[in-house]
Amino acid sequence: MSVLNGKKILLGISGGIAAYKTASLVRLFIKAGAHVQVIMTPASKDFVTPLTLSTLSKNPVFSSFYNQDEENEKWNNHVDLALWADLMVIAPATANTLSKMANGTCDNLLLAVYLSAKCPVYFAPAMDLDMYKHPSSLASFNSLQQYGNIIIPAESGELASGLSGEGRMAEPENIVAFLEADLESKLPLKGKKILITAGPTYEAIDPVRFIGNHSSGKMGFDIALSAANLGASVILVSGPTNCKANNSLVQVISVVSAQEMYDVCHQYYAGVDVAIAAAAVADYKPKIVSAQKIKKAADEFTIELEKTKDILASLGANKKNQFLIGFALETENEIENAKIKIQKKNLDLIVLNSLQDEGAGFGIDTNKVTFIDKEFHVEEMELKSKKAVADDILNKVITHFYE
Ligand code: CTP
């Protein structure tokens, strides 16, 4: 999945021949899953029509401070547009527009939005080779980079003037690749490895029967996807589940029993930065697993059980630098029991689920949790989707690395 998926992109188009390529650029943004709004300088409308871009972006296109349609006269709020965006891309960026951006000139909507933007701003220069090398153009590039804006360098090739050289706007595919690479390199968990357990475990009674539980695995899978979206590489050790993780950064290792989950976790634990135990591991397993299917005979039947290994506690006991997060499901003395678990299992953070809360628990899409850290700070959260709870958990991980 592209890092642009779900991102709100404001595309600013200024008046150069390369503006005709922005139709492809908008299409590529939409294909990557981004939301796009387009702002055009008046001059750019000579090269590509607003109708083309509004059709492709599925949004109205803005080019003046107010809507000139008399029946529907309305001020186009440049501040709202700027604050809406996760990133702004100015392509093509002509020498004229770049010079105005560098000097704070504000004589069209695109420039007003640029000056109001708080998000990262990228600009893709497009001009003839001598203009591209002119000291005043270089001065504009420099000033803009000093303001924190990011240049998408022009490419070499045939130019509209008939000359050949450096100055062509980067091809739309290359603009998208540039943005993806830049955004990925800045993801807060880039380079971090996270081990996550998910789902139930099944403990065999005989070849056809097992002891299991109703865990769907959803919470663990949501945590894995949130972590991957923040740039982490994830090893997701999951018991039997229907959940899927379609993300190249998530490696799913399927296991069945608690012992298998334990073995896989310990195989990877030494090499990870974070471990999150979201699995509902069976606490007990049959002492003897029958090699054959057990036939029904007596009226009563007893299975002797023994404890499974506590995976999370064993990770806590072997902890070096890993940030270790566990879950707790409690029905009474919740906070006190959770605090005891933090100490017993040597955790950095526990995510407490209370079955007393409506909307929390197995098989549903929402969860209500309380975070308790190893200093026993308690933070009670609202009822949220499991996806939002996953994001909150990953925010705790980010805080751990950056504060
Ligand atoms: N856990 C584990 N291995 C086990 C049992 C639990 O890794 N054999 C992990 C779970 O993934 C969860 C945490 O331990 O992160 C808490 O599990 P929970 O069932 O709430 O607590 P227990 O330690 O099993 O204690 P109790 O059932 O007595 O509350």
Side-chain angles (χ1 to χ4, degrees):
M1 193 198 294
S2 166
V3 70
L4 295 176
N5 184 51
K7 288 273 182 306
K8 298 183 200 133
I9 302 179
L10 209 47
L11 174 63
I13 303 175
S14 59
I17 179 63
Y20 84 91
K21 293 187 179 174
T22 56
S24 308
L25 185 57
V26 171
R27 277 209 51 174
L28 291 172
F29 284 156
I30 297 284
K31 213 167 130 201
H35 308 284
V36 182
Q37 297 212 69
V38 176
I39 307 169
M40 303 178 77
T41 62
S44 71
K45 292 198 274 184
D46 292 333
F47 299 97
V48 60
T49 71
L51 180 61
T52 305
L53 296 166
S54 66
T55 308
L56 292 171
S57 67
K58 304 182 180 82
N59 274 314
V61 167
F62 302 96
S63 68
S64 59
F65 285 104
Y66 64 94
N67 190 338
Q68 282 147 334
D69 166 6
E70 272 178 24
E71 291 191 1
N72 193 17
E73 210 165 78
K74 178 178 145 283
W75 183 56
N76 292 324
N77 188 333
H78 57 88
V79 178
D80 280 356
L81 275 167
L83 296 184
W84 170 85
D86 294 320
L87 56 139
M88 181 170 189
V89 182
I90 299 168
T94 58
N96 183 40
T97 289
L98 290 172
S99 163
K100 288 179 177 179
M101 285 163 61
N103 290 293
T105 307
C106 187
D107 62 1
N108 64 40
L109 182 69
L110 171 49
L111 294 164
V113 173
Y114 163 71
L115 288 173
S116 313
K118 290 187 179 162
C119 61
V121 177
Y122 297 80
F123 62 95
M127 53 197 81
D128 211 62
L129 74 168
D130 295 318
M131 292 169 79
Y132 193 61
K133 290 269 175 290
H134 195 279
S136 68
S137 301
L138 299 180
S140 298
F141 302 162
N142 259 337
S143 304
L144 292 171
Q145 285 175 288
Q146 272 173 24
Y147 301 156
N149 303 160
I150 301 150
I151 184 167
I152 306 176
E155 296 176 0
S156 280
E158 198 181 315
L159 299 160
S161 60
L163 298 172
S164 189
E166 207 178 358
R168 274 162 64 127
M169 184 181 83
E171 289 300 324
E173 290 78 8
N174 297 342
I175 293 180
V176 171
F178 183 99
L179 294 173
E180 287 177 336
D182 190 66
L183 291 171
E184 269 169 25
S185 73
K186 290 173 182 160
L187 289 172
L189 295 180
K190 178 86 186 161
K192 299 280 185 248
K193 282 209 171 87
I194 304 192
L195 174 71
I196 298 170
T197 67
T201 62
Y202 288 178
E203 309 303 326
I205 298 170
D206 67 16
V208 294
R209 303 181 180 96
F210 60 84
I211 296 173
N213 62 63
H214 289 300
S215 167
S216 63
K218 185 155 184 7
M219 191 69 244
F221 275 70
D222 280 349
I223 296 170
L225 289 174
S226 284
N229 285 338
L230 294 165
S233 317
V234 178
I235 297 148
L236 177 58
V237 189
S238 175
T241 170
N242 290 324
C243 295
K244 300 259 177 298
N246 292 324
N247 189 305
S248 59
L249 285 172
V250 181
Q251 181 193 355
V252 181
I253 302 178
S254 300
V255 296
V256 176
S257 66
Q259 181 64 48
E260 284 170 7
M261 191 175 271
Y262 177 96
D263 291 340
V264 175
C265 285
H266 281 280
Q267 193 184 328
Y268 290 97
Y269 186 54
V272 301
D273 305 290
V274 180
I276 305 175
V281 185
D283 286 328
Y284 290 92
K285 63 178 182 180
K287 206 165 178 179
I288 296 162
V289 181
S290 170
Q292 307 301 330
K293 185 184 168 208
I294 300 167
K295 302 291 282 179
K296 63 174 172 299
D299 284 348
E300 286 185 8
F301 178 65
T302 306
I303 302 173
E304 208 178 334
L305 301 176
E306 64 180 2
K307 262 192 178 157
T308 55
K309 287 180 187 154
D310 189 319
I311 302 166
L312 181 58
S314 71
L315 298 181
N318 288 288
K319 191 161 79 172
K320 298 276 189 305
N321 292 318
Q322 296 91 341
F323 187 64
L324 186 58
I325 304 180
F327 276 72
L329 181 63
E330 304 288 344
T331 52
E332 55 183 350
N333 294 331
E334 297 151 326
I335 304 277
E336 283 321 302
N337 283 335
K339 285 180 180 172
I340 292 168
K341 247 172 228 178
I342 291 176
Q343 286 179 321
K344 217 170 73 186
K345 302 195 188 193
N346 192 23
L347 306 181
D348 296 292
L349 182 76
I350 203 158
V351 186
L352 169 65
N353 291 288
S354 162
L355 268 192
Q356 286 163 4
D357 287 313
E358 219 172 288
F362 285 156
I364 47 176
D365 244 12
T366 51
N367 208 352
K368 186 170 182 327
V369 302
T370 301
F371 290 115
I372 310 174
D373 67 17
K374 64 177 182 211
E375 278 90 35
F376 292 166
H377 299 123
V378 178
E379 190 180 350
E380 205 174 314
M381 310 302 283
E382 301 290 307
L383 180 71
K384 296 180 180 191
S385 67
K386 285 190 176 167
K387 164 96 195 50
V389 173
D391 290 341
D392 286 347
I393 293 170
L394 269 308
N395 275 334
K396 296 284 177 196
V397 174
I398 293 171
T399 307
H400 162 71
F401 285 116
Y402 292 98
E403 278 180 14

